Amino acid sequence: MWSDNETSEDLLGFKVHADLLIDVIKDDSVLPITIGVFGDWGSGKSSILKIIQEKFDKDEEEEDTLCIYFNGWTFEGYDDAKAALLNSILKGLEDNKKLSAEIKESIKEKSKKLWKSINWMRGAGMVLKNIALPAVSAYFTGGLSLAPFAMQKLAEWNLDSPEKLIEKMSSDEGREFFDSLKKNEENENSNINPVAEFRDDFSDLLEATNFKRLVVIIDDLDRCKPERIIENLEAIKLFVNVPRTAFVIGADPRIVRHAIEFKYGDTNSIQGDNSRIIDDYLEKLIQLPYSLPKLSEPEVETYISMLICKREIGNEKFKGIHSNFQEYRIKDKYSAYGLLNIESLLQPEDFEKVKSNIISIPSLVPLITQSLYGNPRQIKRFLNTYILRQRLSNVARLSDFNTSILAKLMLLEYSEIRLFRQLFEWQLNQEGKPQEIILLEKICDEGNSNEQSKEVENAGFGDWSKEKIIKWLHIEPKLVDVDLRDYFWISRDRIATSISASSLIPPIVKALFNELNQEMPTALIKRVIGEKFVKLNSLEKDSFLNILSSNIKKSPKEKKSYEIFNYMLEMELEDVTTYYMEALKVIKKSDIDPALGVSLRRFNNHPVMGHFFNELFSDNRSKISKAYNLKTK
């Protein structure tokens, strides 16, 4: 089994990306800079960030660079992102072995002023957030705006209610305060810029450290809630213009865009061209966006080979393999690093262990790459499930169990779960040997791929006519005369429920589900589905529909998931019918709100759902059945 933790051990050949970013950071002419390492969930962003951190922390040539690693998700519960970020930087300085005791003492003194600025901003923010400050200000000042130093004074009073603030403002001290406010407003030169002052102080602190540059790595930003993502971005903005600094942010850009829209979408400032404003926000914050490419087929084969090799021979022996791989990757960045490269480096018994587990991998790689979108986390998750089921087959003492068949079926399960379930239904009533799969394989043994796709569709298997599924049917071993019951028995977690307990849901899917699960106008729901759902890849779409279907099973009385499914049906989106029917088949009709029956009547003539609904509600005994069958004039 393999853990899902980020690591600086490069099994992907991603060091080249890290080296490029390090080279940019060490170019003093481009500092200060903010770099966005962008990629989908599980694409390897964290591993690249860890490689960068390790380079700056452990390489003796980088003594003049301070690198701080900041995990945005870890500070999810922190009351203020600016304070959390500053705390991480100051702690990194205090704990740094490169600094003398004298310099650390100087830093502590200088940090007091920074903390005062941060606490002032936090206090001012809390006053503004928790008290009706604009209204109170207008009442006492006749419409005067509150300058930064005025907010500082209010924050220093440390009041926790509007009543106490009004009482304070009504006192002699309050009157003196507003008298000074009037005088200072007349004298524009007296206004201070707290952000500029903070940056000056922070720059002064960095100067005292004698470091040539400060590198702040911010990881897991896309795991945070939308509000926290924005707070972290605003905190980064506070620091970014400080000389000699580089901020490296790892995130799924779709999640960040979603957070910006979530925060500002209902304000007047972002009405109109939302995408342009979101782009402007990101462009001002991120000077260098760097998008990670998806793994190619040779890279997927290499990654799987390296994972299996390390598991089979252990960490110590693997060090030599890993070192050889890094040297190989410098010379050849395009070919797979596999069995042929490993054989001469291992003892015969170790090589046999690796070989027995890797031997079927090359034939599966094209489909693994296509089905799992070259995503390292999905590949590791696939292998973990594969190993777990392999172990289960051994524990259960299943005879004639072929692990190559297991891997082939799992590819269908991961890439097309609805077809996997259909295959389960076929074999369930045919003693494990479905005639349908025999017919499909026979079609695919004849003619070219284009003809095979048409023949599969003409034979009544339209869902199986995709090019990807045709390729899957071609993969050895063939399933003709194979009893599939044992293979589905060990996969029953995926048959019984839409999402297995170990399943990981991409953050972009969670964000979209949470967004659509709010109350909003029909037009807006359809717009969000049209703009965001359709742009997800197949795995993400399946994950979203799984959540939606699972939500109906778990809470059948709640209307929202039904409504989203209905809008998707209207928009004729692919695969919606399968997941919707799956949910409706297993819940009690008495648990469904009868009002839904009325809304479902509009799908009477739907090519798939019309017949399904007519059958489902034909008994006319439940309230929803009566509502669905109610005749209208």
Side-chain angles (χ1 to χ4, degrees), residues 276-288:
R276 183 63 258 170
I277 294 171
I278 294 170
D279 288 342
D280 287 345
Y281 187 103
L282 283 173
E283 286 170 9
K284 287 177 182 177
L285 183 67
I286 308 291
Q287 285 84 51
L288 178 61

Side-chain angles (χ1 to χ4, degrees), residues 80-235:
D80 184 87
K82 294 183 291 295
L85 188 54
L86 180 62
N87 184 64
S88 288
I89 293 172
L90 294 179
K91 192 172 188 312
L93 288 168
E94 290 173 9
D95 296 343
N96 198 283
K97 296 178 181 179
K98 300 175 184 178
L99 297 177
S100 66
E102 184 180 353
I103 291 177
K104 288 183 180 180
E105 194 60 37
S106 174
I107 289 170
K108 285 183 181 179
E109 285 302 312
K110 291 179 182 296
S111 67
K112 290 177 182 177
K113 192 174 181 183
L114 288 170
W115 272 119
K116 187 175 180 181
S117 295
I118 286 289
N119 288 332
W120 162 74
M121 287 186 235
R122 291 168 69 189
M126 290 176 189
V127 170
L128 288 169
K129 182 178 180 180
N130 300 320
I131 301 176
L133 194 53
V136 175
S137 169
Y139 176 78
F140 283 103
T141 68
L144 288 173
S145 62
L146 289 177
F149 68 87
M151 289 193 289
Q152 180 178 3
K153 183 67 177 177
L154 291 173
E156 288 172 357
W157 284 350
N158 196 27
L159 303 173
D160 57 6
S161 71
E163 293 78 12
K164 290 181 181 179
L165 179 59
I166 292 172
E167 182 182 348
K168 188 77 170 179
M169 287 177 167
S170 302
S171 66
D172 290 340
E173 185 182 355
R175 289 191 178 89
E176 289 175 9
F177 163 64
F178 280 108
D179 284 341
S180 67
L181 176 61
K182 291 176 183 178
K183 291 175 183 177
N184 278 295
E185 185 168 76
E186 292 169 1
N187 182 5
E188 62 183 19
N189 293 326
S190 66
N191 286 339
I192 62 172
N193 185 333
V195 174
E197 186 176 33
F198 174 87
R199 285 174 177 159
D200 287 342
D201 292 338
F202 188 65
S203 181
D204 185 44
L205 180 142
L206 291 183
E207 191 76 35
T209 67
N210 294 325
F211 280 118
K212 196 171 182 180
R213 65 187 67 86
L214 168 69
V215 180
V216 180
I217 294 173
I218 299 179
D219 196 12
D220 280 340
L221 194 62
D222 47 16
R223 291 195 184 190
C224 301
K225 296 176 183 176
E227 300 91 336
R228 178 56 73 176
I229 291 175
I230 296 299
E231 288 174 16
N232 275 303
L233 293 176
E234 296 295 338

Side-chain angles (χ1 to χ4, degrees), residues 286-355:
I286 308 291
Q287 285 84 51
L288 178 61
Y290 187 75
S291 298
L292 295 185
K294 291 180 172 62
L295 298 184
S296 64
E297 288 184 15
E299 287 171 328
V300 169
E301 182 177 344
T302 298
Y303 184 51
I304 294 174
S305 299
M306 295 292 278
L307 285 172
I308 292 175
C309 182
K310 183 179 180 180
R311 186 188 67 128
E312 293 300 323
I313 67 175
N315 291 338
E316 285 303 313
K317 292 181 181 179
F318 183 71
K319 287 178 181 178
I321 300 293
H322 188 243
S323 177
N324 182 261
F325 162 66
Q326 289 180 311
E327 293 174 7
Y328 177 87
R329 190 51 80 219
I330 292 172
K331 300 173 186 175
D332 186 343
K333 294 179 173 55
Y334 311 106
S335 305
Y337 182 91
L339 281 176
L340 292 177
N341 309 92
I342 294 170
E343 184 173 10
S344 62
L345 303 173
L346 293 177
Q347 295 295 321
E349 62 271 18
D350 286 331
F351 177 70
E352 283 304 315
K353 286 194 293 185
V354 175
K355 181 181 176 181

Side-chain angles (χ1 to χ4, degrees), residues 558-570:
E558 294 180 6
K559 297 180 182 178
K560 180 57 70 174
S561 294
Y562 300 102
E563 292 175 357
I564 297 171
F565 264 130
N566 290 344
Y567 294 135
M568 288 181 157
L569 282 180
E570 288 180 2

Side-chain angles (χ1 to χ4, degrees), residues 422-482:
Q422 189 172 36
L423 182 57
F424 167 73
E425 296 288 344
W426 289 344
Q427 64 85 36
L428 190 64
N429 300 313
Q430 300 180 62
E431 296 185 348
K433 298 181 179 181
Q435 292 299 308
E436 293 87 348
I437 204 70
I438 295 173
L439 175 59
L440 285 167
E441 288 185 344
K442 183 178 180 182
I443 293 173
C444 290
D445 284 339
E446 303 167 357
N448 60 51
S449 58
N450 290 332
E451 292 174 351
Q452 291 165 2
S453 180
K454 291 177 183 176
E455 285 189 41
V456 167
E457 191 167 1
N458 292 337
F461 301 104
D463 289 341
W464 295 75
S465 63
K466 293 181 182 177
E467 181 184 357
K468 179 172 65 174
I469 303 304
I470 299 297
K471 287 181 180 178
W472 179 84
L473 288 164
H474 275 285
I475 290 177
E476 295 290 342
K478 295 296 179 65
L479 303 182
V480 61
D481 293 331
V482 175

